[in-house]
Amino acid sequence: MSFADLIFTTATEGSVLIKNEGKMLPLKKGDSVCVFGRCQKDFHKSGMGSGGSVHVLYSTVLIDELLKAENSETAVFDRELVNVYEEWHKENPFDNGGGRWAGEPWSQKEMPVSKEMASRFAKNNSKAIYVIGRNAGEDKDLQAVKGSWYLSETEYDNLVNICSVFDEVAVIFNTCGIMDTSFINDSAFYGHIKAAAYVWMGGMEAGHSAAALLMGKENFSGKLSDTIAKIEDYPSTKNFGNEKENIYEEDIFVGYRYFNTFAKDKILYPFGFGLSYTEFKTQITECREDSLTVTIKAEITNTGNCSGKETLEVYLNAPDGKLGKASRVLAGFAKTGLLEKGQKETVTVKFNLEDFASYDDSGITGFAHSWVLEEGKYYVYAGSDSLNAEKVSFGEKDSICIGKTYAVKKCSQAGAPFKEFKRLKNENGNAVYENVPLNKNDLEKIIKENLPKEIPFTGNKGISFDDVKKDRNLMNDFIAQLDVKQLATIVRGEGMMSAKVTMGITAAYGGLSDSLHDDYKIPVAGCADGPSGIRVDTGREASLMPIGTQIACTWNPELIEELFIEEGKELVRYEIDSLLGPGINIHRNPLNGRNFEYLSEDPFLTGIIAAAEIRGLKKGGSSGTIKHYACNSQELCRNSSDSVLSERALREIYLKGFEIVVKDGHLVSLMTSYNPINGHWAASNYETVAMILRNEWKYDGLVMTDWWAKMNHCVKGGNATIKNAAYMIRARNDIYMIVDNDGAECNQYGDNIEECLSNGELTLGELQLCVKNILNFILQAPVSKRPLRALKEILEFNTECKAAPEGAKTVSERIDFIPDENTWLTVDHKGVYNISGTYIKESDDLSQSVTNIMIDGKPASSLECRSTAGVFTTVNASQVILNPGTYHVTLEHTKPGITVSKISFNSQVITPVSMGVIK
């Protein structure tokens, strides 16, 4: 299948049908249908922020695709109503928040549908569809208010009026995640809402896939990756959204782990639930256990009237024991291929009980800080969702019996909290609270005992990076040549919009100085925002995939691996070495705005799907950077709000998905998060990065910070700043992202690396080890397979305009100006021109914006624009070669709120040695 076909298939398989009374869907021949809701036209394709900022190749719109599919053998759609919405849309255009970062509203202004209007259209139509749109994302959480989590007043009133005259109404959720779904059964709608489906945001095939499902050209096979309940019933809600700290009081009881254990009656739609247009019969044919390895085989038969796919889900119920467990935990799953009517397939789920051991962070089992299997009976359930899966038997036994508690793996305390609080515990089916075990580590001692060895400095011995490519045993000898300044340059990434990599992507790292590049031949690697596709801020178009939640709802890792093979190939074509994704943080609460980038409330499903994405990217020739490690559970104050949680919850829930991907063996790059975890910012959190990720999991790949992350002292904690790069290095986080272009070698942000080396707070061996990880990443990255490009590739411009328009400015040695649509520059002689800009920007510190400088309508240079705190800032953009003639110069802002006070062209005589020329 082509990339577009795989995007379409993923969007269809990840859409979830949650209600279909009387088989209202799919729409059939003879149905005459009214489509209400403005998002039929303004159909969302992705969420807000960097994760969805792809200049898409094309997009598809639901109503357009429904009308395209309409013919004499299908349902028909009321064109008059379509036209009503078209005319209303002209007077009420889509509100993108002025293009501001996180400025788009959660929901769009909706056209009121009066009872009279609904009645008029009901006279000639038999069914109605109401499309509801919601959006959130980076820097914008949802809130439990109308128009966000809840229906707006207009949406509610519209549905009341539509349901008063239509007997069959379907609600279609074109949303970034789950929202309040309880209204479906509201008495105000008199039971007329017969069908409901989450079609999420399907990327560039969003409208096409949703239309195909509604028309019955494709069948729903998605399963929910989250439990749907009322917002007040999620145990995390009361501790969500605090600006200073979030207490993870619910502990391991996230999502269905909580509801299945304590509140089954609060579940509206269970985790793993999803309907189909056909029916299936599932018969367990084999259930055995051998040395704690459980094998479940099931014969699944399509007993309905159309083709479809079904998923077998297997859950484990461990004894409560002394630790207290969730009543069910997902242990495995398998999805069938496409089964025709009457066709059957045998699927197999296999897992080992030890992989689902519980973590004892208190020592109550006798095995402190260990993964433990407690004595007792372990029951296995199999079925189509977490709530309705049925117990399976092992011959004459109804369970697997562990006769004695034992430790599966002994660990060391790491990541435990310092703050006292009480956490939820299951005590024989009762919800009780206990004091959380506190951190007792002598971290200063642990760090000193685990300092890496220093590689003695030798100076330049003539070993180049090309030599290391041929013989990796030379890596230490190569690093020995680099002095402190060169080593520190390597651990600073540059960007965004660096000319040292594919213009328009997110960052550049590696051989960023003349000496590293020219003398040692270290290439510069580049990464691009994801995880739904490649973000290129020059406007270059790329493929847009479905959002992470929709990807997880496929429950189909084989399909997702195929999808990401194509994404890997596209990265290679764009000369990009890593996609910043997948995002795999846990859906702790449905209001987290960035949930659309993430996958699920369940760490096992998250890990399996994410591992498939990483394998696919590798097979496609590039790689992925999983993020955000860890506990990025809200967007409000995301770089300062402390995630306070137990060591057990951290390991069992919030790190488990990362662990699965790391141990899958294909991961080479990982990004830490902005937030502190138990008082230590993630990028400088020694316990989570050095002790767990590096030492326990044996991860030796690249670790990067999030963009403009803050760090604090690894032992003392305290205030965090972007200058504490030495503590990042000590925590075994390899590279700081990012300084401005050309800022790595000159230490633009004034970080404390060299200062801490001098005073003994950091060792040379620690710095060298981070550099080694970065260089090992580059060795296996696509950039090492490409010829070494110039450190900066300079664009050469020729113009057809030889006669200067009136008012054209002449460039001699230097010119300062403010470009507008009528700005023309006349060049008398060929030369190299350095471009710089002075600007001011009011916004969040972490907002990511760019101003492109266009010459004759083509991107020539870019200003990376962040918040300047009310102060005009001058930045160097790039250099160009201009041949004699007159050029039209304009500015293109990717986001509003940027005020440019001056653009400067400064003539240079000599082209730098490490520049290549692109004509």
Side-chain angles (χ1 to χ4, degrees):
M1 286 192 284
S2 69
F3 199 179
D5 290 338
L6 285 164
I7 291 171
F8 171 82
T9 301
T10 302
T12 56
E13 286 208 25
S15 296
V16 184
L17 182 65
I18 61 173
K19 185 174 185 178
N20 197 24
E21 290 182 3
K23 297 185 177 180
M24 177 190 171
L25 295 177
L27 302 173
K28 309 168 189 69
K29 181 180 180 181
D31 289 339
S32 52
V33 185
C34 286
V35 182
F36 295 94
R38 73 170 298 152
C39 282
Q40 62 179 283
K41 188 68 176 176
D42 293 317
F43 206 65
H44 295 294
K45 55 186 180 292
S46 195
M48 299 182 207
S50 58
S53 298
V54 178
H55 295 276
V56 68
L57 290 168
Y58 62 85
S59 59
T60 57
V61 173
L62 176 60
I63 191 61
D64 294 346
E65 296 297 320
L66 289 172
L67 295 177
K68 278 185 198 175
E70 180 187 271
N71 59 50
S72 60
E73 298 300 315
T74 67
V76 295
F77 300 92
D78 193 297
R79 300 295 179 112
E80 181 187 350
L81 181 57
V82 173
N83 291 334
V84 168
Y85 272 97
E86 288 277 4
E87 292 303 312
W88 186 84
H89 192 277
K90 292 176 183 178
E91 300 298 322
N92 300 271
F94 185 85
D95 179 4
N96 69 349
R100 297 184 309 276
W101 184 264
E104 184 183 319
W106 297 302
S107 57
Q108 297 291 313
K109 179 182 178 182
E110 189 58 83
M111 184 180 81
V113 178
S114 65
K115 187 171 183 179
E116 291 73 23
M117 177 183 175
S119 298
R120 176 162 62 90
F121 284 104
K123 290 178 182 178
N124 300 313
N125 296 282
S126 57
K127 294 181 178 180
I129 291 173
Y130 195 83
V131 184
I132 297 172
R134 286 294 184 274
N135 208 355
E138 193 171 1
D139 274 318
K140 193 179 185 78
D141 289 321
L142 293 165
Q143 291 183 14
V145 297
K146 294 178 180 179
S148 183
W149 172 258
Y150 297 107
L151 293 178
S152 69
E153 290 184 6
T154 303
E155 288 170 332
Y156 190 87
D157 291 343
N158 286 353
L159 272 170
V160 169
N161 292 332
I162 291 166
C163 287
S164 70
V165 294
F166 282 92
D167 290 329
E168 294 185 277
V169 178
V171 174
I172 304 301
F173 294 98
N174 172 217
T175 54
C176 58
I178 60 175
M179 59 175 285
D180 179 55
T181 315
S182 62
F183 72 85
I184 288 176
N185 298 314
D186 196 315
S187 60
F189 303 126
Y190 307 106
H192 289 191
I193 296 179
K194 299 293 187 183
Y198 277 93
V199 298
W200 314 112
M201 296 175 175
M204 63 191 196
E205 288 286 331
H208 183 199
S209 64
L213 288 164
L214 295 177
M215 298 290 277
K217 294 184 176 182
E218 298 288 336
N219 196 348
F220 285 93
S221 65
K223 303 286 187 176
L224 290 172
S225 65
D226 295 304
T227 306
I228 298 179
K230 293 182 178 180
I231 194 61
E232 62 268 23
D233 291 330
Y234 293 93
S236 58
T237 296
K238 68 177 181 178
N239 287 307
F240 177 84
N242 190 292
E243 295 182 3
K244 293 184 178 180
E245 65 179 11
N246 280 289
I247 307 294
Y248 287 44
E249 184 182 276
E250 71 281 359
D251 207 54
I252 64 165
F253 296 99
V254 178
Y256 74 93
R257 283 169 164 79
Y258 170 79
F259 287 105
N260 280 46
T261 306
F262 301 119
K264 290 180 182 179
D265 59 323
K266 302 295 185 181
I267 298 172
L268 299 177
Y269 299 95
F271 172 83
F273 176 77
L275 300 173
S276 170
Y277 291 149
T278 189
E279 291 81 38
F280 297 96
K281 177 184 177 183
T282 298
Q283 182 177 355
I284 303 297
T285 58
E286 182 180 342
C287 186
R288 59 185 170 85
E289 176 263 328
D290 181 23
S291 300
L292 299 184
T293 295
V294 177
T295 302
I296 307 290
K297 290 186 178 181
E299 183 181 82
I300 300 177
T301 306
N302 183 348
T303 59
N305 294 315
C306 64
S307 60
K309 295 183 177 183
E310 175 65 310
T311 300
L312 176 69
E313 303 170 26
V314 177
Y315 295 86
L316 180 66
N317 172 211
D320 291 341
K322 295 179 179 179
L323 289 171
K325 317 287 194 330
S327 65
R328 291 187 187 182
V329 171
L330 180 67
F333 58 91
K335 191 169 188 174
T336 68
L338 187 66
L339 300 179
E340 301 297 334
K341 177 183 177 181
Q343 190 176 357
K344 62 182 67 174
E345 179 182 337
T346 297
V347 297
T348 302
V349 173
K350 183 180 289 188
F351 66 94
N352 191 289
L353 240 59
E354 290 189 344
D355 291 335
F356 297 90
S358 299
Y359 190 81
D360 182 355
D361 58 359
S362 68
I364 193 172
T365 66
F367 300 97
H369 312 301
S370 299
W371 292 96
V372 175
L373 280 181
E374 291 196 79
E375 63 181 290
K377 293 184 176 182
Y378 288 73
Y379 297 96
V380 177
Y381 295 80
S384 59
D385 65 67
S386 61
L387 187 62
N388 297 299
E390 297 180 352
K391 187 188 299 182
V392 299
S393 298
F394 298 83
E396 296 181 357
K397 299 187 297 181
D398 66 349
S399 61
I400 302 163
C401 188
I402 301 294
K404 184 178 180 180
T405 298
Y406 72 96
V408 172
K409 181 181 179 181
K410 173 68 177 173
C411 302
S412 299
Q413 186 181 59
F418 299 88
K419 180 185 178 73
E420 293 182 356
F421 67 95
K422 290 186 179 293
R423 65 176 174 185
L424 181 61
K425 182 181 180 181
N426 176 18
E427 197 168 90
N428 300 319
N430 299 309
V432 299
Y433 286 86
E434 66 177 5
N435 292 324
V436 67
L438 299 180
N439 197 311
K440 297 179 180 179
N441 280 334
D442 184 343
L443 196 54
E444 188 169 0
K445 180 182 177 183
I446 292 171
I447 291 172
K448 286 182 178 179
E449 290 175 348
N450 289 277
L451 289 174
K453 292 182 179 179
E454 177 181 323
I455 304 172
F457 175 67
T458 63
N460 194 335
K461 295 294 184 180
I463 304 170
S464 74
F465 198 68
D466 288 335
D467 297 321
V468 182
K469 287 183 194 178
K470 296 171 186 174
D471 182 1
R472 296 197 179 191
N473 292 320
L474 293 173
M475 178 62 82
N476 282 2
D477 295 330
F478 178 77
I479 290 174
Q481 302 173 108
L482 306 179
D483 62 28
V484 167
K485 184 175 182 180
Q486 291 167 326
L487 293 168
T489 299
I490 293 174
V491 300
R492 301 180 189 119
E494 289 182 356
M496 304 163 64
M497 301 297 294
S498 174
K500 298 171 185 175
V501 289
T502 297
M503 180 63 78
I505 64 173
T506 311
Y509 47 107
L512 294 174
S513 68
D514 287 339
S515 65
L516 293 171
H517 181 276
D518 299 341
D519 298 342
Y520 292 107
K521 310 301 180 187
I522 300 175
V524 181
C527 55
D529 269 330
S532 296
I534 301 170
R535 172 189 176 189
V536 186
D537 276 342
T538 57
R540 187 175 179 184
E541 294 175 333
S543 303
L544 180 62
M545 297 181 290
I547 61 173
T549 298
Q550 190 161 25
I551 284 172
C553 287
T554 66
W555 292 61
N556 190 341
E558 292 79 14
L559 170 63
I560 302 310
E561 184 172 326
E562 287 185 54
L563 176 73
F564 276 80
I565 289 173
E566 294 306 312
E567 178 68 6
K569 291 177 181 177
E570 190 163 276
L571 287 163
V572 171
R573 289 195 296 272
Y574 283 47
E575 297 191 348
I576 298 169
D577 301 290
S578 187
L579 183 75
L580 297 180
I584 64 170
N585 290 87
I586 295 299
H587 292 180
R588 176 182 177 237
N589 190 275
L591 298 180
N592 183 13
R594 214 158 182 180
N595 277 351
F596 84 92
E597 290 189 46
Y598 304 148
L599 301 174
S600 173
E601 68 185 24
D602 180 73
F604 178 75
L605 178 61
T606 292
I608 296 300
I609 296 296
E613 295 183 47
I614 294 296
R615 287 195 304 272
L617 288 167
K618 183 176 182 180
K619 289 180 180 179
S622 191
S623 68
T625 299
I626 59 169
K627 61 183 187 181
H628 303 91
Y629 186 85
C631 302
N632 186 66
S633 300
Q634 69 176 48
E635 287 301 292
L636 179 68
C637 298
R638 59 186 171 138
N639 64 336
S640 58
S641 183
D642 193 6
S643 293
V644 182
L645 71 167
S646 74
E647 183 186 8
R648 181 183 181 188
L650 180 69
R651 288 176 176 273
E652 285 193 28
I653 304 297
Y654 298 97
L655 298 188
K656 180 58 72 173
F658 290 95
E659 183 180 5
I660 291 169
V661 181
V662 167
K663 292 183 176 179
D664 184 69
H666 298 275
L667 186 69
V668 293
S669 184
L670 175 147
M671 182 194 297
T672 50
S673 56
Y674 284 125
N675 54 283
I677 304 168
N678 289 323
H680 289 276
W681 265 256
S684 56
N685 194 309
Y686 187 89
E687 296 194 17
T688 56
V689 180
M691 294 177 67
I692 296 177
L693 175 67
R694 297 291 195 186
N695 296 340
E696 283 189 22
W697 301 348
K698 309 301 180 186
Y699 175 71
D700 60 1
L702 173 69
V703 178
M704 63 177 69
T705 70
D706 207 337
W707 272 225
W708 309 291
K710 297 188 292 187
M711 292 83 51
N712 64 349
H713 196 282
C714 295
V715 178
K716 300 174 184 176
N719 293 332
T721 78
I722 64 173
K723 295 186 177 184
N724 286 332
Y727 308 140
M728 169 201 82
I729 293 167
R730 171 143 285 184
R732 301 286 309 280
N733 191 321
D734 300 310
I735 188 166
Y736 183 80
M737 293 292 193
I738 55 175
V739 297
D740 291 347
N741 295 328
D742 301 320
E745 186 178 25
C746 69
N747 190 14
Q748 178 196 36
Y749 287 173
D751 68 44
N752 63 352
I753 294 174
E754 294 187 42
E755 174 190 344
C756 289
L757 283 168
S758 298
N759 65 24
E761 284 193 81
L762 183 70
T763 68
L764 182 61
E766 290 173 289
L767 178 58
Q768 289 171 326
L769 184 53
C770 287
V771 168
K772 185 174 183 178
N773 291 331
I774 296 166
L775 295 181
N776 275 329
F777 171 83
I778 293 174
L779 273 176
Q780 60 77 47
V783 67
S784 283
K785 299 178 179 67
R786 302 190 294 264
L788 187 68
R789 61 176 272 182
L791 190 57
K792 287 187 180 179
E793 292 189 333
I794 186 166
L795 296 171
E796 182 173 353
F797 286 84
N798 291 284
T799 182
E800 298 296 323
C801 182
K802 304 301 181 184
E806 185 178 349
K809 306 174 188 299
T810 301
V811 182
S812 53
E813 291 186 1
R814 179 186 177 93
I815 185 170
D816 299 331
F817 60 99
I818 302 176
D820 58 31
E821 291 302 317
N822 298 311
T823 300
W824 295 82
L825 298 184
T826 297
V827 174
D828 293 330
H829 62 277
K830 180 177 181 178
V832 177
Y833 294 84
N834 188 69
I835 306 176
S836 61
T838 302
Y839 74 95
I840 188 171
K841 183 171 188 287
E842 298 288 349
S843 68
D844 182 274
D845 282 347
L846 304 179
S847 64
Q848 302 167 14
S849 304
V850 166
T851 291
N852 292 317
I853 301 166
M854 316 291 286
I855 296 180
D856 288 347
K858 298 176 182 177
S861 188
S862 297
L863 307 177
E864 177 194 329
C865 299
R866 290 182 64 211
S867 172
T868 62
V871 177
F872 276 98
T873 300
T874 299
V875 293
N876 208 35
S878 66
Q879 293 171 310
V880 296
I881 294 176
L882 299 178
N883 286 286
T886 299
Y887 297 86
H888 188 208
V889 182
T890 55
L891 297 181
E892 178 186 79
H893 302 301
T894 59
K895 296 288 181 185
I898 302 167
T899 301
V900 175
S901 67
K902 181 174 64 178
I903 295 294
S904 301
F905 276 56
N906 184 28
S907 178
Q908 306 222 334
V909 178
I910 301 172
T911 303
V913 174
S914 56
M915 275 193 179
V917 176
I918 301 178
K919 295 184 178 289

